[in-house]
Structure formats: C-alpha cells, structure tokens
Amino acid sequence: VDSVYDEFLQEIVNGNGYKGIANLLSQKLQVSVLIEDEYFFVQARAFLNTNTFSSKRRKKSGVRYWKPQYLDPNINEYVRALQTTLRPVVIPELPEYGIISARTVFPVVINNEVKKYLNVFKKDLSWEQMRIVRVALHSLKIMEICRHAQMEMEDQTMKSLVLGLISDKHKEDKIFGGNKILGFDLSREAVLAVVQIKEAPGQRQI
C-alpha cells in the first residue's frame, strides 16, 4: 500500500497534477479515467481503450448538451445521489452522448463538500482495484487542499504588496523586487477604488 501511495504522491511532487494521477490510475486499472471539478468541467482524462466512447457523438433533439449533468433529468438523479450520499455511484452507458461504457463515479469530498468527481469507466471493480482507487482519491484530496492553500496565500500576498504600494511609496523598489521573486505581475494597469466611511465609530472608520 505504501508503494502505491508513493507513486501517486510522486505525480504531485513532480508537478504532473490531475493529468498525472489520471494517467497512473488508468494504467494500474487498465480502464479509462476522467477527473472533473465540482462543476463537471474536465480537468484530466486518460482514455486507455476504444470501448469507452463511440466514434460519433450524436446530438439529442437538435440540442448540443455540453453539461448533461445539469440538463438531463436521467443523469440528474445520479448527480443528486452523489451529492447527497457522498458515496460512489454507478452510471450506466449513455449512448446518446457517445458513452458506450458504464462507469463508477467517486466524489472527492472535503469538509462534507464534493470538490471533484473521479470517473472510472468500469462498474465492477475488484477489491484490489478499489484499494488503488482509494489511494487516488486520497491524492486528489491532497492536491485540492494544497491548491486552495496556495490560492489563499497568493491572495494574501498580493493584498499585502498592493497595500504596501499604497501606504509607503518609498518602499516601491523593494516591493517590486520582492514581487518578481514571488512571480506576481504588479506592473499591469489597475483601478483602485477608495471608499471613505466617516460615520463608523472609532477605528472602524475607513
């Protein structure tokens, strides 16, 4: 088990991201894999064989369904089950969308919220395959937590740099120098809105 964890975590360390996890999982299970975010936008795919999708995807009633998870009532039921039970759901073949293989969809849950969907195009997974899927889900959770932490850190750092430019112009060179190290671009044109609230009591005045 430890060696499998190491393999998946190495994909993260090497910067291969969701694509690396999808490829590794697909190779180990010998099935196609799809990773979607909470809004069903594809973040990585690994198609191992031609038994997953038909060569021609048909339109339904003349309407092109980009996100049938939202629009098709038949698929809505599976999505609702995923989001309410937070447990894997088997979705059958969807030939009207060009999908000719059943799949097991695993929700990636953090703090009781679905953050990702891991689609494994196989409905009867063995115990060993489920064990590997659990490791992949763990890796996806780690990636999501790290991504969120990085975004928060970038927002806080950017806010600090901008406020530094506003409050102390004498440090401008130092701030621009430090910003290059962090990889931020403060040279872009920006609009600053200043809101002054005089009626607020004491230190709450802005």
Side-chain angles (χ1 to χ4, degrees):
V1 173
D2 288 341
S3 64
V4 178
Y5 270 100
D6 287 344
E7 285 184 69
F8 278 95
L9 289 177
Q10 197 63 43
E11 295 295 324
I12 299 175
V13 173
N14 292 338
N16 296 329
Y18 300 115
K19 181 64 175 175
I21 292 176
N23 285 337
L24 183 58
L25 182 61
S26 178
Q27 291 169 11
K28 287 189 172 296
L29 300 183
Q30 290 297 293
V31 297
S32 297
V33 170
L34 192 69
I35 298 174
E36 299 172 306
D37 67 7
E38 64 266 47
Y39 306 109
F40 304 106
F41 286 99
V42 176
Q43 297 196 301
R45 52 169 62 89
F47 297 152
L48 192 73
N49 54 55
T50 58
N51 297 324
T52 304
F53 300 98
S54 63
S55 57
K56 183 185 292 185
R57 299 192 183 190
R58 297 197 302 267
K59 295 180 181 180
K60 187 174 181 179
S61 301
V63 179
R64 188 171 184 177
Y65 281 64
W66 286 103
K67 289 285 168 285
Q69 297 92 334
Y70 292 123
L71 302 173
D72 192 322
N74 296 323
I75 304 178
N76 278 344
E77 291 299 319
Y78 297 108
V79 173
R80 193 175 295 112
L82 278 164
Q83 295 173 342
T84 54
T85 66
L86 304 180
R87 296 178 62 83
V89 168
V90 175
I91 299 180
E93 302 85 351
L94 300 170
E96 63 269 37
Y97 298 107
I99 303 172
I100 57 177
S101 172
R103 56 181 151 163
T104 307
V105 183
F106 298 86
V108 179
V109 182
I110 299 175
N111 294 331
N112 290 322
E113 291 185 4
V114 179
K115 296 296 183 182
K116 294 281 181 292
Y117 294 97
L118 175 62
N119 298 262
V120 177
F121 286 87
K122 183 177 173 63
K123 64 180 179 179
D124 297 316
L125 294 165
S126 67
W127 181 88
E128 177 65 20
Q129 288 174 323
M130 285 293 295
R131 183 178 69 87
I132 296 171
V133 168
R134 282 196 292 270
V135 175
L137 289 170
H138 177 76
S139 302
L140 287 171
K141 286 184 181 182
I142 289 175
M143 276 204 64
E144 183 62 23
I145 291 169
C146 289
R147 186 184 68 85
H148 182 73
Q150 182 181 6
M151 288 173 60
E152 281 195 335
M153 184 182 68
E154 288 178 356
D155 287 345
Q156 291 172 3
T157 305
M158 180 66 85
K159 179 180 178 181
S160 176
L161 287 170
V162 172
L163 289 176
L165 281 173
I166 296 169
S167 61
D168 193 348
K169 291 186 177 181
H170 298 294
K171 292 183 179 178
E172 185 173 321
D173 292 339
K174 183 178 179 181
I175 290 173
F176 273 104
N179 126 76
K180 289 179 182 177
I181 297 174
L182 295 168
F184 292 116
D185 180 11
L186 294 180
S187 65
R188 292 178 298 175
E189 182 177 326
V191 177
L192 174 66
V194 179
V195 181
Q196 188 174 21
I197 303 176
K198 296 182 178 180
E199 300 300 324
Q203 293 182 351
R204 293 186 180 179
Q205 292 182 10
I206 299 176

